[in-house]
């Protein structure tokens, strides 16, 4: 039994040693699985146990991760080719981007991903959201309210690491930037880039929408540095 319904789910998982050794995609996968169960009215302690059972069943020893990844590629990857894409992107990232690493080591100022004055922040980073069960989960990005169709801009030079659609994220894009940064864009009405494509700062990569688990048109924007989520507001310069 959970001692406290207000316990943060992700911290609970980390506390149980579940997330510590998983990569970002796997962590997200289980987190989403858990959130979906709770959203569907399963009691949180039951949902947690079910996810733990699933993790056990998935048997995530190092050897089995590749198999797990392949089994879930529809979630992680937008096409069969994407696996190759991810490998290429990773290789590209570790060689190509490394050259520039020394140069751009310090303080990259990312542009705001919407060039619109109408982008009010409707949910802040780290804001806690209460689920029907009473459990609190943490907001891993910011929600920027904007009209459907508003262009979403790459905040910095990047390559497209992943695009796809899930029931939670809706249409989404993940960009890989310099120095271990990735950024994520959820609930898009349109995806305008392809995996492995390189984009420049301010390239239009997609359009704001309300796909996936969303109650109205907005951009869910996440910034991750070396697997840790950051507050996008602290690294992005707002355009007027
Ligand atoms: Zn959000």
């Amino acid at each position: 039994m959970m001692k406290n319904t207000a316990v943060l789910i992700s911290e609970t998982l980390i506390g149980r040693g579940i997330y510590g050794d998983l990569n970002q995609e796997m962590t997200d996968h289980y987190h989403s699985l858990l959130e979906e169960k709770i959203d569907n009215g399963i009691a949180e302690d039951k949902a947690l146990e079910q996810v733990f059972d699933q993790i056990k069943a998935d048997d995530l020893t190092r050897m089995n991760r590749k198999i797990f990844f392949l089994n879930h590629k529809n979630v992680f990857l937008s096409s069969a080719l994407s696996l190759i894409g991810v490998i290429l992107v990773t290789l590209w990232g570790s060689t190509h981007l490394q050259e520039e690493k020394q140069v751009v080591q310090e303080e990259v100022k990312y542009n705001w991903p919407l060039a619109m004055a109408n982008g009010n922040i409707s949910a802040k980073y780290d804001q806690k959201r209460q689920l029907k069960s009473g459990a609190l989960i943490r907001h891993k990005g910011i929600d920027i309210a904007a009209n459907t169709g508003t262009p979403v801009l790459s905040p910095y030079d990047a390559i497209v690491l992943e695009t796809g659609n899930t029931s939670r994220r809706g249409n989404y894009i993940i960009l890989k930037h310099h120095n271990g940064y990735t950024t994520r864009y959820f609930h898009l009405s349109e995806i305008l880039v392809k995996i492995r494509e390189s984009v420049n700062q301010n390239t239009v990569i997609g359009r704001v929408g309300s796909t996936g688990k969303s109650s109205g048109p907005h951009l869910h924007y996440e910034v991750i540095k070396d697997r840790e989520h950051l507050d996008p507001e602290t690294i992005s310069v707002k355009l007027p």
Side-chain angles (χ1 to χ4, degrees), residues 96-126:
H96 195 91
L97 289 179
Q98 206 151 28
E99 296 160 21
E100 294 165 67
K101 204 173 179 178
Q102 285 89 19
V103 186
V104 204
Q105 190 69 275
E106 297 310 318
E107 221 179 309
V108 173
K109 277 288 180 196
Y110 281 49
N111 281 350
W112 200 239
L114 300 178
M116 301 291 290
N118 69 356
N120 298 320
I121 293 171
S122 53
K124 282 191 157 298
Y125 175 72
D126 218 24

Side-chain angles (χ1 to χ4, degrees), residues 55-80:
I55 291 169
K56 240 195 234 164
D58 289 336
D59 186 17
L60 300 173
T61 54
R62 285 187 191 285
M63 287 299 284
N64 282 323
R65 288 192 187 174
K66 207 181 272 176
I67 297 162
F68 173 89
F69 190 69
L70 287 168
N71 286 342
H72 294 80
K73 68 178 185 295
N74 55 332
V75 177
F76 300 146
L77 308 169
S78 55
S79 73

Side-chain angles (χ1 to χ4, degrees), residues 107-113 121-128 138-144 155 181-185 219-238:
E107 221 179 309
V108 173
K109 277 288 180 196
Y110 281 49
N111 281 350
W112 200 239
I121 293 171
S122 53
K124 282 191 157 298
Y125 175 72
D126 218 24
Q127 190 167 311
K128 288 156 190 72
R138 212 171 239 192
H139 199 217
K140 291 192 281 188
I142 53 173
D143 291 344
I144 311 169
Y181 280 93
T182 56
T183 53
R184 301 172 170 197
Y185 310 82
L219 175 68
H220 172 96
Y221 176 43
E222 290 178 22
V223 176
I224 298 153
K225 161 88 168 147
D226 299 330
R227 296 184 181 190
E228 277 190 33
H229 282 80
L230 302 177
D231 182 353
E233 285 193 84
T234 63
I235 70 142
S236 295
V237 181
K238 270 192 203 187

Side-chain angles (χ1 to χ4, degrees), residues 168-182:
R168 282 197 81 79
R169 297 176 176 182
N171 296 321
Y172 70 92
I173 299 171
I174 302 177
L175 299 182
K176 183 180 175 71
H177 307 278
H178 306 268
N179 298 347
Y181 280 93
T182 56

Side-chain angles (χ1 to χ4, degrees), residues 32 35-36 39 129 143 148 164-173 185-191 207-220:
S32 297
E35 286 181 327
E36 266 164 35
D39 284 349
R129 181 167 70 91
D143 291 344
T148 297
N165 180 288
T166 70
S167 59
R168 282 197 81 79
R169 297 176 176 182
N171 296 321
Y172 70 92
I173 299 171
Y185 310 82
F186 294 175
H187 313 301
L188 305 172
S189 58
E190 270 184 273
I191 295 171
R207 294 188 186 282
V208 171
S210 190
T211 56
K213 201 171 163 54
S214 163
S215 53
H218 74 281
L219 175 68
H220 172 96

